[in-house]
Amino acid sequence: MYLFIVNPNAGNGEGRRIWNKISKKLRRLDIPYEHVYTTSAEQAHTFLQGKLTGEVSWRAVGVIGGDGTIHSLLPAMHQSGVPLAVFSAGSGNDTARGFGIPRRVGGALKVLLSGRSTAADLISIDGDRTLTALAVGFDAQVASNVNDSRYKKICNALGLGRLAYIIGIFHTLLTYRPGPLTLDCDGTTYHFESAWLTAINNVSSYGGGMTICPDAKPDDGVLDLCVVHDCSKLKLLLLFPTVLFGGHTKLSFVTMLKGQNITISSSLPRLALGDGEHVATTPLRASLEPGSIRIIRP
């Protein structure tokens, strides 16, 4: 039997619309399932934890929602052995993008029913877990501002989730100031006098498809890092169009690293978001948990 967690409010109601399509197809195929609507991270986690520790042997857990909904389920899914299936209904949808899962309902359902269950890594941050990326600094502030904005709802309604993040970049530039940052990656220390952002990625993209770490793979046993530092606001703005296709990695003010254990400290507390959700502020420690969750992918 399949279990589905549905966030009906994801993507301005896109979650409910997608679930209606999925449930009709499942009934037509006579596939047994159970589902629940959830409107909060706590509710989703509590329900799933109870189900996974029950007597039913679930073939998979299908999540209809955005990256934040998926993030809320990671504590229960972690080391459960039950694979996760993703149905995109958010604004960023970097989880689906990172695992090559189609956005269209028919394609995603085909992956659930006939895809392969593979092990994937997780990022652990002070006891919390993240599947896609940990954003620290400017990029985290952009995502936070977008989540609190009115323009996110408008962009989602128009099917332009990525546009919300582009607007958020300009919004955040009005008040954000870079500052000194020290980063330790697997025992090697780096100091940046004027750091804008640090991205720690398990998949190649974040922020609705920005390819911040082009070489990142969710099952390679290593985390990819991108640090943007010592540049003007103008250079930072010029950087973002290149991030869409990963062309920023050769720039002099971009440092790319790989590692399994990362510590970040800064002169000013910096916001850190995992899967677009608030998880910490600096100083923080992030580490790799190899192969600790299963994902159904094409």
Side-chain angles (χ1 to χ4, degrees), residues 143-186:
S144 180
N145 289 344
V146 169
N147 288 340
D148 294 336
S149 71
R150 292 181 180 180
Y151 52 78
K152 179 181 180 179
K153 293 182 179 180
I154 297 172
C155 290
N156 282 346
L158 296 173
L160 300 171
R162 179 182 287 181
L163 178 60
Y165 288 93
I166 295 173
I167 296 172
I169 289 170
F170 288 93
H171 175 194
T172 308
L173 269 176
L174 295 175
T175 57
Y176 192 89
R177 297 291 182 271
L181 180 140
T182 299
L183 184 151
D184 183 280
C185 181
D186 288 349

